[in-house]
Amino acid sequence: MAERGQLPPPAKRLCCRPGYGSGCRPGQRVGGTGLGSGVLCAGPSSAAAAAAAAAAAAAAAAALGLLPLGKTQSPESLLDIAARKVAEKWPFQQVEERFERIPEPVQRRIVYWSFPRSEREICMYSSFNTGAEDSAAAPGGAVASTAPGGGADTAAAENRLPFRRGIALLDGGCVDNVLQVAPTLGNPGHRHTPSHNSEKMPPPPPPPLPGTAGGNESAEGGRREKRAGCAAVQNKEIKEGFHLSGTVTEPAMQSEPETVCNVAISFDRCKITSVTCSCGNKDIFYCAHVVALSLYRIRKPDQVKLHLPISETLFQMNRDQLQKFVQYLITVHHTEVLPTAQKLADEILSQNSEINQVHGAPDPTAGASIDDENCWHLDEEQVQEQVKLFLSQGGYHGSGKQLNLLFAKVREMLKMRDSNGARMLTLITEQFMADPRLSLWRQQGTAMTDKYRQLWDELGALWMCIVLNPHCKLEQKASWLKQLKKWNSVDVCPWEDGNHGNELPNLTNALPQGANANQDSSNRPHRTVFTRAIEACDLHWQDSHLQHIISSDLYTNYCYHDDTENSLFDSHGWPLWHEHVPTACARVDALRSHGYPREALRLAIAIVNTLRRQQQKQLEMFQAQKKELLHKGLTSITNLEGWVGHPLDPIGTLFSSLMEACRVDDESFHEFSDFTENVGQCKSLEYQHLPAHKFLEEGESYLTLAVEVALIGLGQQRIMPDGLYAQEKVCRNEEQLISKLQEIELDDTLVKIFRKQAVFLLEAGPYSGLGEVIHRESVPMHTFAKYLFTSLLPHDAELAYKTALRAMRLLVLESTAPSGDVSRPHHIASVVPNRYPRWFTLSHIESQQCELASTMLTAAKGDVRRLETVLESIQKNIHSSSHIFKLAQDAFKIATLMDSLPDITLLKVSLELGLQVMRMTLSTLNWRRREMVRWLVTCATEVGVYALDSIMQNWFTLFTPTEATSIVATTVMSNSTIVRLHLDCHQQEKLAGSARTLALQCAMKDPQNCALSALTLCEKDHIAFETAYQIVLDAATTGMSYSQLFTIARYMEHRGYPMRAYKLATLAMTHLNLSYNQDTHPAINDVLWACALSHSLGKNELAAIIPLVVKSVKCATVLSDILRRCTLTTPGMVGLHGRRNSGKLMSLDKAPLRQLLDATIGAYINTTHSRLTHISPRHYSEFIEFLSKARETFLMAHDGHIQFTQFIDNLKQIYKGKKKLMMLVRERFG
């Protein structure tokens, strides 16, 4: 029988049950439940004592502030106390069989109390989130919350929830025809007419039923026949119990008419065991109509009509009435009932049928049988379908959020100790294991998405909670273990650490748990998401020390003097709990998850006190060996499993448990208030130092303890795990925990905790991530140190900087590993693979290192000593040029804020970082290099003229020659720089001299790219300009291309040096080669310009360049273009040596134009033959036009007509096979 676990109490304790407020769940005791701290309420045997003490208990509760002021609570009657306990625990068959005669008022009160009394549970089965309590965050932070309060959209979504809609239907009077079928045993001496079989509940005791005047024997016999008759239909799905039915009218909407829904509910032992509604709802949760009817029964029980069970009604009928009843039933429902009715009739008329072998017949309306499963109705098929649908959407359409909400629902059920929690998780897990993407990803060797991976983590964590239920039965745990092993053995079952197998040994079973320790999981090649849950099946709660810790606030031993590492008590006599930390914290999470917050808190405090004691012992141990260890430079990882980023999230569990204990809620949100008024409200919570627990130091509180354990976990030295997902999880969990810490406002008490932990972390050596010597592959502390720095800075700046500077290191990127890597202890080397760290999150880690440095730079503004220290740390520890550049930019922005004068010290730091970036990226490719160079010049400008002069004098260590001339020197020489620096003439000249020197040096080193810039920069200095020109001439014959020379030549012409331009143009022509088909070559314009320049200078210059043109250019169209230009005008009037030209046009029959004409004709002939070799019909017309241009050139010669005719005749003869083309040639040229 599935039911909520109840805990065996060491001592009974009475509890007043004042009217059973709707805000309390069944089984909830005033002041909270407790593991081993008392029963929830006395049973029938102690009912008299309960009734006697009820008034006193209510008064005491009010005095303690547990009841609202101004409200009084009447004690319950002995009858109600007894009936309620029976209704909660006993199936009605057990009541019938246990007592021969039960007074009818007692039966009525049992039926009355058998219906669920908590609206919270109705809400749990009709909505994703009750809204009245915090979502239980899972150990990975994966659970999403839908708690309202986020605006109009959230409110609208809230109102669409079935629970909200059900309330609206109830409040709107839409529930009608409510009746309940329940057993009523007749009593001798009473009479009852057939017309009075319907009445209100609870009424005065009614007269006995007709036919029962002789006693209860006949009725009781009929009921026993009913029980026996169940066997005859055991294969039918019949939900036995009490039945509630009614109609719910759905008001007409704009597009839909009014509808009436018929609702039927079966209930037993304060649980709804089945629901049906004619609305056809297909969902995991109850529809709004079921909610409305359920709330009607809870809020208006006295208005519910009570009907007899159908077996009792039939018992009163004679033969004619029975026949009429059956025939009417078949007539009304003939399509559904007739086949079954005919089959049953045939079986009853058959003497040997199975149905005739059993005495009596079943009645599903007469209460539950002993063998009936007692659990809340859960539509398993819909759970499976919904999960399958969400998984098939692959993370789209909010499916990940929906799955997280399902996980939250499981946690909610566990907290209510509802057996459906494990049942629902099993259904979810089966669908996850059946996801076809698992096989696909395994075959392709690809990783699952990060969000999907987090869902698997939550799945594993929930199973860990379930198997660690302190009161689950052995057969339950065995069943879960069998199922977990089955899933674990599937090939596609995801591994615990994502994409890599974990080589760590089985560390979960740290305490001796007997001879039944599970050995299978430790031999598996990979640890899956279920491995820890399988291992947890071997854990138990029978340890006497553990039982005392969780069951009492007074468990101490002041006479205990064992000061060994694993002592059970500390020096104060307070209990300690030595267990593998993640496992111990999993116990805390299990207690919280199953609704035992006080017990979870007690264990959490014992664990934290144990951690603090271990911390102190480690510090003492290190200080005793400090000199030796530091001298050797040895270190080791002291914890193979880091607590932050661990699959079980131990630190997050401890932190959440302690924070919940110090949460302040001003209106007693969960006690004695109307639950439905609170659904959907978003309460603002704050945290305070509540009165100290017995096992805390003076001045400490749950809040200080939560903060301290978070700092302990974040500062732990731990090795970086293998695999992308595991490494991302370390970063993500660290950031989540710090985000929670940032929500807490620091006061003097918490600052003391920060100081204490910061000092320990700095002095604890290998036990701390901030120790003097750490392992090369330790998880860096940058993110944590940044939080420590900002928290400590206003209170202890020296300690803040010391902590942050220690955390700046990133040993994994150092060129030489510390000696500790070489001399690792053998037990470390066996589990930590010796690899170059495949740190997949390295870029994120470096960005966090950069953020830490930037934070320190910002804080150190105006403090020369600290700025120098931070700068030194940055230069030593940061190895990424992009991050150093970002820091340089950050420092520059901070130093030049608009509302203050520039901070020259910080500017110098910025410049120094910029210079380091220049040196780091000088010989490597970096797409931001030009941006970096421009920024550095800007920064140097802000620092002053001496900084600009310095970078130009040392340019070769910072810039390439191109950067130095085209960006640095050009910017320095610009008017904007002169104006910005307010330079006088002397300073301008000095800076210009440095720029010219730089330009000449760059031109010498890289004339191809720097010569033009050098000439430009040296224009105002004749000597420097001549030097630059000579550099160009020297490089022209060897290292410079024709395009570079043409560009410089055009510059020279523009500057008024035509002869120098001509000289450079002739040098450029010697490097040029244009083939016959390059008629679109970019150098054509340069060739035409060079010829035009020569033509303008005179006949001699033109005569000198034409041979170079003829030699370099083979393209006919280009040559003909040059030829026409030369024949149109007279060469320039000023020739070499000032000799005047004649002013006549140059003859085509004489040099140099005759040479050019012949070359042009020859180029046309060669090009024609080349084209005809591969010509296609679509190019025929283009070819004819080409020949027309060739004829124009031919005709420029005195015998050109004859040459062209011969040329055409040759074409006709050679290419006579191209008949169509030759026909076109004849048509055009004869």
Side-chain angles (χ1 to χ4, degrees), residues 213-283:
N216 285 344
E217 288 79 5
S218 60
E220 182 65 26
R223 199 178 312 281
R224 291 196 178 100
E225 289 178 4
K226 184 274 287 190
R227 303 292 181 193
C230 291
V233 286
Q234 59 185 350
N235 293 327
K236 302 290 184 181
E237 188 175 341
I238 294 180
K239 290 285 186 180
E240 294 195 355
F242 306 123
H243 284 250
L244 180 73
S245 63
T247 59
V248 180
T249 303
E250 190 79 54
M253 305 294 288
Q254 293 179 347
S255 59
E256 297 180 2
E258 179 181 281
T259 57
V260 178
C261 298
N262 297 313
V263 184
I265 297 175
S266 298
F267 60 94
D268 172 39
R269 283 165 277 177
C270 300
K271 297 180 179 69
I272 291 176
T273 56
S274 71
V275 299
T276 56
C277 180
S278 61
C279 71
N281 175 60
K282 294 291 184 182
D283 199 356

Side-chain angles (χ1 to χ4, degrees), residues 244-494:
L244 180 73
S245 63
T247 59
V248 180
T249 303
E250 190 79 54
M253 305 294 288
Q254 293 179 347
S255 59
E256 297 180 2
E258 179 181 281
T259 57
V260 178
C261 298
N262 297 313
V263 184
I265 297 175
S266 298
F267 60 94
D268 172 39
R269 283 165 277 177
C270 300
K271 297 180 179 69
I272 291 176
T273 56
S274 71
V275 299
T276 56
C277 180
S278 61
C279 71
N281 175 60
K282 294 291 184 182
D283 199 356
I284 295 175
F285 301 118
Y286 302 165
C287 66
H289 315 110
V290 172
V291 172
L293 181 60
S294 302
L295 295 182
Y296 185 96
R297 173 61 175 79
I298 291 174
R299 297 185 183 185
K300 304 175 182 180
D302 296 344
Q303 299 181 24
V304 177
K305 294 180 180 180
L306 177 64
H307 277 234
L308 298 174
I310 192 66
S311 57
E312 298 288 347
T313 305
L314 294 175
F315 186 77
Q316 300 175 45
M317 296 182 183
N318 58 31
R319 182 191 178 284
D320 293 339
Q321 289 173 322
L322 286 171
Q323 182 167 359
K324 181 179 291 188
F325 171 80
V326 173
Q327 289 183 208
Y328 267 97
L329 179 65
I330 294 174
T331 301
V332 174
H333 301 286
H334 65 278
T335 56
E336 297 90 355
V337 174
L338 186 58
T340 305
Q342 188 63 57
K343 179 182 178 182
L344 288 174
D346 293 342
E347 290 184 3
I348 290 173
L349 293 174
S350 173
Q351 295 295 327
N352 298 324
S353 64
E354 181 181 359
I355 198 170
N356 284 324
Q357 306 304 314
V358 179
H359 186 62
D363 181 1
T365 67
S369 300
I370 293 177
D371 297 331
D372 286 349
E373 184 181 17
N374 180 232
C375 61
W376 282 80
H377 171 72
L378 180 69
D379 192 332
E380 296 188 1
E381 182 180 352
Q382 280 303 309
V383 172
Q384 292 173 317
E385 287 299 320
Q386 291 286 334
V387 175
K388 186 176 181 180
L389 174 64
F390 294 150
L391 289 174
S392 67
Q393 292 173 350
Y396 300 103
H397 313 295
S399 60
K401 180 180 179 181
Q402 296 298 317
L403 289 168
N404 274 325
L405 289 172
L406 283 178
F407 288 143
K409 181 59 64 180
V410 172
R411 284 191 174 271
E412 187 181 351
M413 290 176 173
L414 295 181
K415 196 167 187 178
M416 300 284 277
R417 302 176 201 164
D418 190 332
S419 61
N420 277 339
R423 185 175 160 206
M424 187 171 179
L425 186 62
T426 302
L427 298 172
I428 295 173
T429 307
E430 286 173 348
Q431 293 303 312
F432 267 72
M433 291 299 298
D435 191 344
R437 291 178 296 172
L438 291 177
S439 299
L440 183 63
W441 286 331
R442 182 62 60 89
Q443 292 170 3
Q444 295 176 345
T446 55
M448 64 179 68
T449 62
D450 190 60
K451 288 185 178 180
Y452 189 58
R453 177 67 241 194
Q454 291 180 45
L455 293 173
W456 275 102
D457 280 355
E458 174 65 355
L459 201 64
L462 281 171
W463 275 114
M464 188 82 174
C465 284
I466 284 175
V467 301
L468 279 178
N469 181 353
H471 291 283
C472 72
K473 298 175 182 178
L474 291 178
E475 55 268 25
Q476 269 187 328
K477 185 177 284 189
S479 172
W480 291 334
L481 178 60
K482 181 180 179 181
Q483 185 65 66
L484 288 168
K485 285 186 174 181
K486 178 182 175 182
W487 291 327
N488 196 55
S489 63
V490 178
D491 289 339
V492 296
C493 184

Side-chain angles (χ1 to χ4, degrees), residues 1002-1110:
C1002 292
M1004 288 288 292
K1005 190 170 184 179
D1006 186 7
Q1008 296 92 334
N1009 298 311
C1010 301
L1012 181 58
S1013 297
L1015 288 167
T1016 305
L1017 290 168
C1018 296
E1019 285 176 353
K1020 296 182 180 180
D1021 187 291
H1022 177 71
I1023 297 176
F1025 186 82
E1026 291 298 324
T1027 305
Y1029 176 64
Q1030 190 59 47
I1031 292 172
V1032 173
L1033 292 179
D1034 294 341
T1037 56
T1038 54
M1040 299 186 72
S1041 66
Y1042 63 84
S1043 61
Q1044 293 167 337
L1045 290 171
F1046 274 129
T1047 302
I1048 297 173
R1050 286 175 180 262
Y1051 163 79
M1052 284 293 184
E1053 183 196 28
H1054 179 72
R1055 298 302 302 170
Y1057 299 103
M1059 292 308 299
R1060 292 185 176 184
Y1062 168 76
K1063 184 173 182 61
L1064 291 171
T1066 58
L1067 291 172
M1069 289 298 299
T1070 60
H1071 298 289
L1072 181 65
N1073 183 21
L1074 282 179
S1075 63
Y1076 73 91
N1077 58 351
Q1078 290 182 300
D1079 51 358
T1080 59
H1081 196 280
I1084 292 174
N1085 287 332
D1086 290 324
V1087 174
L1088 295 176
W1089 169 82
C1091 293
L1093 175 65
S1094 303
H1095 189 272
S1096 67
L1097 290 176
K1099 181 179 179 181
N1100 294 335
E1101 287 75 13
L1102 183 60
I1105 203 170
I1106 282 179
L1108 297 176
V1109 172
V1110 170

